[in-house]
Amino acid sequence: MPLLRIQTNVAVPADKVDALLLQGTDLIVNEMNKPREYVQVVVEPEADIAFAGTRDASAFVELRSLGLPEETAKILSEKICALLEAQLAIPPARVFINFFDFPRPMWGWDGKTFG
């Protein structure tokens, strides 16, 4: 049920996409204690993004989930920024992250909802 969506203006080679998909999944599983089989990660490279008026490396990230406590968001922000800096050399100050905690009836999967 967690969805980690990473949009970046950086060109990302296939091996780095694979690393982001795997490490992003591991991050969600480990930090949120979510079952791996429900975690989805999306990487969208080479998006048209300007941050502070420049096209220097930056990213916009969304994390959507059921049961996302505010205190967890701070830890996840730090870890997501560290992942993007390690894999794509994007400075944390050039990353925006939105966190969404959805009500269970508003998340669908397998022809049903979780509510």
Side-chain angles (χ1 to χ4, degrees), residues 7-101:
Q7 294 175 300
T8 179
N9 58 359
V10 174
V12 185
D15 63 322
K16 293 283 188 180
V17 170
D18 289 343
L20 286 169
L21 294 172
L22 177 62
Q23 291 174 21
T25 298
D26 289 344
L27 189 147
I28 299 305
V29 168
N30 295 331
E31 297 301 323
M32 296 182 68
N33 296 313
K34 297 291 186 176
R36 183 174 299 276
E37 57 268 18
Y38 291 128
V39 177
Q40 186 175 52
V41 179
V42 177
V43 177
E44 298 174 351
E46 298 186 89
D48 291 326
I49 299 173
F51 191 111
T54 76
R55 287 184 173 255
D56 294 346
S58 67
F60 175 70
V61 179
E62 293 176 288
L63 179 59
R64 300 169 182 250
S65 187
L66 305 175
L68 180 57
E70 286 184 31
E71 60 273 9
T72 304
K74 290 180 181 184
I75 295 164
L76 289 166
S77 181
E78 179 183 330
K79 299 216 178 222
I80 290 167
C81 284
L83 173 64
L84 294 174
E85 188 169 34
Q87 289 297 328
L88 303 179
I90 299 173
R94 293 192 55 84
V95 177
F96 275 158
I97 305 171
N98 287 164
F99 295 95
F100 298 95
D101 182 6

